[in-house]
Amino acid sequence: MSHGLSLLLLAFIACLGCRSACAQNDIVWKATSVSGWRNAELLDVHGVMDKGLFRPNAVQVHRAAGPSAQPLLPLGPDLLHLAQVRPFGVEERVEIGRPGDALTILCRPGRAPAGLTLQWPEHRLPAGYKGNWALVGSSNAPIGIAIVAEGQDAPVPPAALWTGSSVIFPLSARREDRVLVLTCPDAGASARIDGLAVRPADAAPPIVSRGTWVWQEGDWSDDPPRFARAAADAGWTELAVQVPQVPGPPLARLAQALAEKGVMLRLLDGDPAMAGEEGLARTIPRIIRLRRWCEQLLPPGVQPVLELDIEPYGTSAFAADPAKGWRGWAKAVQALSAAWGRPVAVDLPWWMRMSPGGESALQDAHGSIAEVVVMAYRTDPQLILDAVEPWLAVDDVAIRVAIEAGPVASEVTRTYRRAAHGTLRTSDAAVEILGSPHMAQADEAVFELVEEIATAPARISFHDSPSTARETEAALLPSLAAWPSYAGFRIHGWAPRPGG
């Protein structure tokens, strides 16, 4: 072999080695492999924006969006403009008009059944809600009113009669009863509806708990009485305090100080690792020790609730198999409840019921759960109600509703499409995000970035807007209290002021 060919061959071999080394140096983020990557056309990478940089935390095969759930019908505001209005009957007895925001009805005399229906096909009505329909308007003769399932005839006699001005009649507790039927009298009538709303049946909502959680031991350990005063002054009736690694006299003093101020103590614990075998095995003995400590050192009247904030979706493996993550969560709740000796409270994201395996996990853990704190981290009041209604509609466990007031990062989902060159590389060994585009090698695939969707922090948290958080709380309370399972409100992210 000539000297020139030898140098060329050595350069080629060196280039191959450099290619491998350079590819390794170009890795920005790496995680375990994604099941189903070989057949996937799209991959989703979830993460947050941190000081302008995307910080991935999970990747999954893109799931096509199914039929979206109908949004909840607004509770409180006028619904007339959202209604689909249709006359029914024969002999052309019914004539309707829509002057401005009102609805006029003309019923001509006749014996054949006639009237009109109002329904909201784009929305769902609240289930299990103790509320009323409130109709504002006027009628010169009795008009029958009933709420029925679609395709069902109105009852005879009607559920209520509208005569004169306004009328109030009960909202059905059944979700399928979603069609409002107004029936004309035989003698005819004319009427005008100026407004129609769903409102709580009770004017004055009951007094319920109001709480937050406290994650930093330093906030209370130096001076528990001062901290208890600050909590009472802030209007809290309960605090979920993260359990110290070693419970000691400061925690006992805190429990006593809070009890003296009428503030209930809840012991808060949780980590995503608890949904795994190793994390759970480490946690069970600690919870048993905590239970014994409480029984020995705390008075019977201040024995706290154990609140678990496990959040299995905080692991990088969750997105690839959510059902497995939720099964691990259910197993952890059952085991830790047994270690604690009684059912526990759990903190759960509002979207759990829509997550694969989420509903099954709730059923599996049901006997171990005393109550649920639904983290409805949204700032639009109607979206908060929309998020918590499926939880409140199931009247078999107490529900607390939580909003966020602390700092949060912008949540981002990036979608990648399979391509010849790309910055996301997958194989059976790993999934990697690269700093520059690469070609796929044997037994791997690459994907290019095609879409990014970001959720602004202002849609998730009331951070730096405490007055808006309080206004939202006050606006939501009458509606929330109309569900029998509603047990209290939480504002997460409270930061006690230095000095109490």
Side-chain angles (χ1 to χ4, degrees):
M1 182 181 296
S2 69
H3 181 69
L5 287 176
S6 298
L7 291 176
L8 185 60
L9 179 58
L10 290 172
F12 177 73
I13 294 172
C15 181
L16 289 177
C18 176
R19 182 177 182 178
S20 176
C22 291
Q24 290 296 322
N25 293 335
D26 202 29
I27 296 174
V28 175
W29 179 76
K30 186 173 183 177
T32 55
S33 183
V34 181
S35 176
W37 67 268
R38 290 182 182 275
N39 297 319
E41 189 65 27
L42 298 170
L43 294 179
D44 289 336
V45 179
H46 306 285
V48 298
M49 294 302 294
D50 181 14
K51 298 178 181 177
L53 296 176
F54 178 56
R55 305 289 187 189
N57 54 40
V59 60
Q60 69 181 68
V61 174
H62 179 81
R63 294 187 178 95
S68 58
Q70 292 176 313
L72 181 69
L73 197 68
L75 305 180
D78 181 40
L79 305 173
L80 196 57
H81 67 289
L82 297 175
Q84 181 184 88
V85 183
R86 290 178 176 173
F88 69 89
V90 294
E91 303 173 6
E92 298 182 347
R93 286 188 59 197
V94 183
E95 182 180 323
I96 59 176
R98 300 298 294 260
D101 295 329
L103 172 66
T104 59
I105 308 164
L106 175 61
C107 294
R108 296 183 177 87
R111 299 186 60 84
L116 70 156
T117 63
L118 292 87
Q119 55 185 313
W120 295 262
E122 303 300 321
H123 294 80
R124 71 181 191 275
L125 270 66
Y129 188 78
K130 304 301 182 184
N132 292 322
W133 292 96
L135 185 152
V136 177
S138 59
S139 171
N140 67 355
I143 291 178
I145 303 178
I147 182 79
V148 301
E150 192 167 1
Q152 180 181 336
D153 293 332
V156 179
L161 286 176
W162 172 26
T163 305
S165 56
S166 303
V167 62
I168 294 175
F169 52 101
L171 178 74
S172 173
R174 303 193 317 160
R175 195 185 293 277
E176 59 266 30
D177 291 342
R178 48 184 297 117
V179 181
L180 192 64
V181 183
L182 277 64
T183 52
C184 294
D186 292 350
S190 63
R192 176 187 174 98
I193 302 176
D194 293 304
L196 181 66
V198 173
R199 293 180 180 148
D202 296 325
I207 297 174
V208 294
S209 69
R210 182 176 187 271
T212 187
W213 55 22
V214 180
W215 289 102
Q216 302 300 321
E217 185 176 349
D219 287 341
W220 56 266
S221 58
D222 291 340
D223 193 341
R226 183 182 64 184
F227 177 80
R229 289 195 299 273
D233 290 345
W236 307 123
T237 63
E238 65 179 26
L239 293 182
V241 177
Q242 184 179 32
V243 180
Q245 284 297 317
V246 180
L251 184 60
R253 291 198 297 271
L254 176 66
Q256 186 62 41
L258 289 174
E260 292 172 357
K261 290 294 183 180
V263 180
M264 183 183 300
L265 172 66
R266 303 161 71 89
L267 296 180
L268 176 63
D269 205 341
D271 186 275
M274 291 180 182
E277 296 287 346
E278 294 183 5
L280 180 57
R282 290 194 302 268
T283 306
I284 290 174
R286 181 160 53 81
I287 296 300
I288 292 174
R289 290 194 298 270
L290 178 64
R291 183 195 72 199
R292 291 171 179 166
W293 181 89
C294 291
E295 292 170 348
Q296 293 169 5
L297 296 180
L298 298 183
V302 295
Q303 289 296 313
V305 171
L306 177 64
E307 182 174 320
L308 298 176
D309 180 40
I310 295 178
E311 303 191 17
Y313 45 91
T315 66
S316 59
F318 178 85
D321 193 348
K324 181 180 179 181
W326 288 123
R327 287 195 298 271
W329 170 87
K331 182 178 179 180
V333 171
Q334 291 170 311
L336 297 177
S337 171
W340 183 245
R342 53 190 181 275
V344 297
V346 292
D347 298 322
L348 294 173
W350 62 269
W351 46 264
M352 178 184 178
R353 290 183 179 273
M354 298 184 291
S355 179
E359 192 70 48
S360 296
L362 281 171
Q363 295 302 318
D364 291 343
H366 183 269
S368 300
I369 297 174
E371 67 175 59
V372 174
V373 179
V374 180
M375 296 182 287
Y377 290 175
R378 313 173 99 171
T379 53
D380 184 303
Q382 178 61 25
L383 293 182
I384 294 171
L385 289 174
D386 184 88
V388 301
E389 186 266 349
W391 298 85
L392 293 164
V394 182
D395 189 12
D396 61 353
V397 66
I399 300 293
R400 281 166 165 75
V401 174
I403 59 174
E404 176 62 73
V408 297
S410 177
E411 298 178 358
V412 174
T413 296
R414 288 184 170 181
T415 299
Y416 291 77
R417 177 183 291 120
R418 188 182 288 262
H421 297 78
T423 55
L424 188 149
R425 180 171 59 198
T426 64
S427 67
D428 286 336
V431 55
E432 301 161 337
I433 293 180
L434 307 173
S436 58
H438 285 255
M439 291 183 63
Q441 303 302 305
D443 228 20
E444 65 180 31
V446 296
F447 296 73
E448 63 178 349
L449 178 64
V450 293
E451 184 180 38
E452 177 178 295
I453 299 176
T455 301
R459 295 187 60 194
I460 302 169
S461 174
F462 290 90
H463 185 52
D464 290 335
S465 302
S467 60
T468 305
R470 289 193 294 270
E471 291 168 3
T472 300
E473 176 187 1
L476 289 172
L477 182 56
S479 291
L480 292 173
W483 276 284
S485 57
Y486 174 68
F489 201 80
R490 300 272 289 266
I491 301 179
H492 291 162
W494 176 58
R497 296 187 303 275

